[in-house]
Amino acid sequence: MTLIRAGTVVVGGEVCRPGWVDIDGPSIRDCGAGTPPAEADVDLPDSVVVPGFVDMHVHGGGGASFSDAPVAAARFHRRRGSTTTLASLVTAAPAELLSAVELLADATRQGTVAGTHLEGPWLSAARCGAHDPTQLRPPEPAEIDGLLAAADGTIRMVTLAPELPGSDDAIRRFVDANVVVAVGHTDATYEQIQHALALGATVGTHLFNAMPPMDHREPGPVLALLRHPGVTVELIADGVHVRPEMVDAVLGWAGPDRVAVITDATAAAGCGDGEYRLGAVPVVVAGGVATVRGTSTIAGSLATMDQLFRAVASSAGLTAAVQVTATTPARTLGLDRVGAIRAGKDADLVVLQKDLQVSAVMVGGAWLDPR
């Protein structure tokens, strides 16, 4: 057992100064504000302790992609506070996609990742972004059923464009399989998004990016997603994909309980300028921005969740930052053991310095080796 006392602990959405967390094995036994019930084993008077970050949309990092090296990619992000990651796959040929789903099914069973997110191949050609346009296709029952069977319950979320033929049936199939359905990389109208939400879609994939801009006569996906009280909207709050002022506006409109900040990071995260790949697509990183080679199309991000946590905390405060980087994504994905510091939850913690830089990470009650 480990009793931690810290200058600041965000306990169940409340900022406690000081606060404490009592760890018993892999779980949180108790937590609270003020003086701990016994002498602390670990005293962190100048630190901030928050729940481990939950990144529900991430492709890789540290030179590794979740599609072929999930252990290395997960390790890179865990050291930066992402104790829970949903491994995202980009558009690929059927056999390649199936192979990646099988690999991630094993990684999920081993606890490396929390499941798989299929971002494609059922996306709009007009809004495909950095996805391989030659492999885009409408959803077909046979492919969906094959992927679900191969995953054996490990696909947690799928992003699709609801205007594609066959998408209504696809949404129903995924909802029936307890898969979260997100709409994104879409050229859909306001009404088409409303229809998808009525069928059971509950997430907007990286709001504003890879979808039509909001217009006063054609409000499109953005307004449809923001107006629906049951929808969680993803935001890539890296200052490249979405301006900070827009992040603040969405937080003010939808509220932190409906916003999940994501990295959408690729293998290039943490690696500096150079040439990389996102699936089959060549990517160039220059000046802190990743683009499809020879174009201005943004190709994922180079962000980590600790960076995004600091960005949100600086404008909206600690409580909101915890909500959008941990609590909301965990709830959206149905991950009831993570996302908050509460009794009975997994002991996944991030220790931050006063400037909110990561100083230590705990996963399942064990401190990570900082190397």
Side-chain angles (χ1 to χ4, degrees):
M1 294 190 295
T2 303
L3 182 58
I4 300 170
R5 179 192 179 278
T8 302
V9 183
V10 181
V11 175
E14 178 186 353
V15 178
C16 302
R17 295 189 172 99
W20 55 274
V21 187
D22 190 6
I23 309 298
D24 186 4
S27 304
I28 297 172
R29 184 170 69 170
D30 203 359
C31 51
T35 303
E39 184 177 353
D41 302 297
V42 179
D43 196 8
L44 305 167
D46 298 320
S47 297
V48 179
V49 177
V50 298
F53 307 134
V54 179
D55 193 352
M56 61 186 281
H57 187 154
V58 53
H59 298 277
S65 294
F66 280 108
S67 59
D68 54 23
V71 172
R75 183 185 300 118
F76 170 82
H77 285 287
R78 277 183 178 168
R79 289 171 177 164
R80 289 148 184 85
S82 291
T83 55
T84 300
T85 51
L86 191 63
S88 299
L89 296 177
V90 293
T91 297
E96 184 180 347
L97 186 62
L98 188 66
S99 177
V101 164
E102 291 172 341
L103 175 69
L104 288 175
D106 287 339
T108 302
R109 287 188 283 266
Q110 293 164 9
T112 303
V113 298
T116 301
H117 165 216
L118 297 179
E119 189 183 17
W122 312 299
L123 310 177
S124 164
R127 302 284 176 178
C128 67
H131 288 255
D132 183 357
T134 69
Q135 293 298 334
L136 297 175
R137 49 194 182 270
E140 294 184 354
E143 181 174 28
I144 291 171
D145 291 346
L147 289 167
L148 289 172
D152 191 24
T154 59
I155 295 175
R156 281 199 173 268
M157 188 167 76
V158 57
T159 293
L160 54 77
E163 71 272 21
L164 296 179
S167 62
D168 284 11
D169 180 65
I171 292 172
R172 294 188 186 98
R173 284 175 183 269
F174 283 120
V175 170
D176 288 345
N178 295 316
V179 175
V180 174
V181 176
V183 294
H185 285 277
T186 175
D187 212 28
T189 64
Y190 179 89
E191 290 76 17
Q192 287 171 319
I193 296 294
Q194 284 187 311
H195 179 66
L197 300 180
L199 290 175
T202 55
V203 172
T205 295
H206 43 52
L207 190 72
F208 302 116
N209 299 116
M211 61 182 63
M214 189 163 55
D215 181 81
H216 61 296
R217 291 193 178 92
E218 296 291 341
V222 173
L223 188 63
L225 293 166
L226 286 174
R227 289 194 66 192
H228 195 294
V231 167
T232 297
V233 293
E234 296 180 346
L235 283 175
I236 311 172
D238 62 350
V240 174
H241 287 78
V242 182
R243 281 186 60 139
E245 296 88 345
M246 190 63 81
V247 173
D248 291 343
V250 172
L251 285 171
W253 188 344
D257 61 334
R258 286 188 51 213
V259 174
V261 165
I262 61 167
T263 62
D264 196 17
T266 68
C271 294
D273 290 355
E275 295 205 2
Y276 303 88
R277 298 193 77 81
L278 179 57
V281 176
V283 172
V284 175
V285 174
V289 179
T291 56
V292 176
R293 189 169 63 195
T295 77
S296 60
T297 300
I298 298 176
S301 93
L302 309 175
T304 54
M305 285 295 278
D306 60 320
Q307 169 194 341
L308 305 185
F309 181 93
R310 289 189 292 273
V312 175
S314 68
S315 61
L318 273 180
T319 301
V322 166
Q323 183 78 35
V324 301
T325 60
T327 311
T328 296
R331 188 204 70 237
T332 300
L333 296 174
L335 302 172
D336 57 4
R337 291 197 57 82
V338 298
I341 297 176
R342 288 197 183 98
K345 298 277 192 182
D346 289 349
D348 293 352
L349 308 175
V350 182
V351 179
L352 305 168
Q353 301 169 5
K354 284 186 176 181
D355 61 359
L356 303 185
Q357 298 287 333
V358 175
S359 61
V361 179
M362 174 180 281
V363 180
W367 296 107
L368 289 189
D369 186 334
R371 291 174 294 176

